[in-house]
């Protein structure tokens, strides 16, 4: 009997092993836009389309340090899942806090003026909605820390989006009645021992959602404190802000499952 060479088999096997590890090329482009008279600059991230047609979009709301490499990396991760992603700018073009003290002051200004915060978020959403390859009926908004607050305020503005995800974001609002305007499904991802978002705030948020008859979910991750998805946050929970690998992975998976639901 003639013996067959195993070379083609080995080549095919190698191909099967290697291909899944390859990453799609990611296109990134800075986008200048305005809210009123304020110049803003966000980041549009996507992979080249594998087929024609429009795709779901994801809007990223940044944490209190402004639009940084962190949001850029998250945008790349989302783009590799097939979404068109826009990381918005709340603070203004070139306005980036130099340290935590400056970040607290800058973020605090917008937390104290929720109307302005919602306007800045709405301006970013408009950029994403107007992308020619985005299905405007399939847009989700996510945010980290201050960005979680921003994402929820955008939902409270009555924004026409499919879903909103807050990662360890502030949950309070000066006007809970605005929740009656929410059209999106809501997913709040929370560190169970987050000292910056205490139990009273969590309970008030739940009451706000129930009273307004919002379609909402709340995931609490045991042992996780504030900033549990942020790789640069250190690993000491006693500081109140720390990265938690388990909570990071679980919350990312929860977000992906949520997207399947809201984009169906």
């Amino acid at each position: 009997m003639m013996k067959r060479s195993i070379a083609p088999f080995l080549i095919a096997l190698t191909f099967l092993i290697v291909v899944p590890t390859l990453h799609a090329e990611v296109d990134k482009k800075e986008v200048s836009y305005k809210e009123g008279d304020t110049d803003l600059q966000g980041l549009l991230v996507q992979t080249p389309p594998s087929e024609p047609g429009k795709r779901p979009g994801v809007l990223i709301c940044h944490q209190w340090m402004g639009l940084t490499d962190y949001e850029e990396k998250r945008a790349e991760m989302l783009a590799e899942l097939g979404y068109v992603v826009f990381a918005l700018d709340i603070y203004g073009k070139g306005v980036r806090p130099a340290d935590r003290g400056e970040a607290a002051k800058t973020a605090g200004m917008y937390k104290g003026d929720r109307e302005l915060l919602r306007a800045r978020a709405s301006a970013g959403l408009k950029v994403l909605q107007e992308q020619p390859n985005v299905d405007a009926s399939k847009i989700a908004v996510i945010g980290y820390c201050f960005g979680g607050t921003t994402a929820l305020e955008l939902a409270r503005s009555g924004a026409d989006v499919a879903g909103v995800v807050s990662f360890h974001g502030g949950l309070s609002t000066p006007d809970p009645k605005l929740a009656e305007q929410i059209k999106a499904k809501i997913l709040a991802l929370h560190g169970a021992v987050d000292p910056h978002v205490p139990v009273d705030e969590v309970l008030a948020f739940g009451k706000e959602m129930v009273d307004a008859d919002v379609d909402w979910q709340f995931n609490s991750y045991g042992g996780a404190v504030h900033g549990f998805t942020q790789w640069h946050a250190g690993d000491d929970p006693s500081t109140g802000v720390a990265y938690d690998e388990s909570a990071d992975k679980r919350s990312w998976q929860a977000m992906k499952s949520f997207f399947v639901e809201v984009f169906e």
Side-chain angles (χ1 to χ4, degrees), residues 117-135:
L117 180 60
R118 291 191 292 269
R120 292 285 169 88
S122 295
L125 175 61
K126 185 178 179 182
V127 172
L128 182 59
Q129 289 171 326
E130 292 179 346
Q131 296 305 308
N133 61 337
V134 169
D135 183 344

Side-chain angles (χ1 to χ4, degrees), residues 8 21 79 111 170 199 205 228 241:
T21 67
K111 285 184 178 181
V199 173
F205 175 73
F228 60 78
V241 180

